[in-house]
Amino acid sequence: MLGQQGFDAFVASTNDQGHIPVKLLAGRNSAAMSIGAGLMFSSVGHGSAFDIAGKGIADPGPVLRCIQLLAGAKRIQGNERSP
C-alpha cells in the first residue's frame, strides 16, 4: 500500500507501528504527526544525528517538512473552529 500513488496520509495505531514501513520506503523524507492528545506533535523520520552534530552538514529539509505538516494541520484546525 505504501508503494501506491494517490495517498496523502496513512494512519497507524502507534508511532513505532507506522514509522517502520514508512522509514523503509521514504527514509529521510518521512514525517509523523501525532493527533488527538490535545496538542500537535510531529517528528522526523530519522534519528538525532549526534554523529554529525556541530559539523554544519545536517540537512534541514526533514525538520522543515515537519513544520509545514504542523502548520497545515493548524490551519485546518483553525478553519474547523470558525463558524
Side-chain angles (χ1 to χ4, degrees), residues 8-83:
D8 293 325
F10 294 94
V11 177
S13 298
T14 66
N15 186 24
D16 291 338
Q17 180 188 43
H19 263 229
I20 293 169
V22 171
K23 283 182 182 182
L24 286 172
L25 294 172
R28 296 173 45 81
N29 293 320
S30 65
M33 185 167 79
S34 299
I35 56 174
L39 62 105
M40 292 188 294
F41 173 79
S42 181
S43 63
V44 295
H46 61 74
S48 303
F50 288 122
D51 56 326
I52 63 170
K55 295 182 180 177
I57 59 173
D59 176 10
V63 171
L64 295 174
R65 279 188 286 283
C66 283
I67 292 169
Q68 290 171 334
L69 183 65
L70 288 171
K74 186 65 176 169
R75 188 171 40 257
I76 292 168
Q77 183 184 43
N79 288 338
E80 290 174 354
R81 292 184 182 164
S82 8

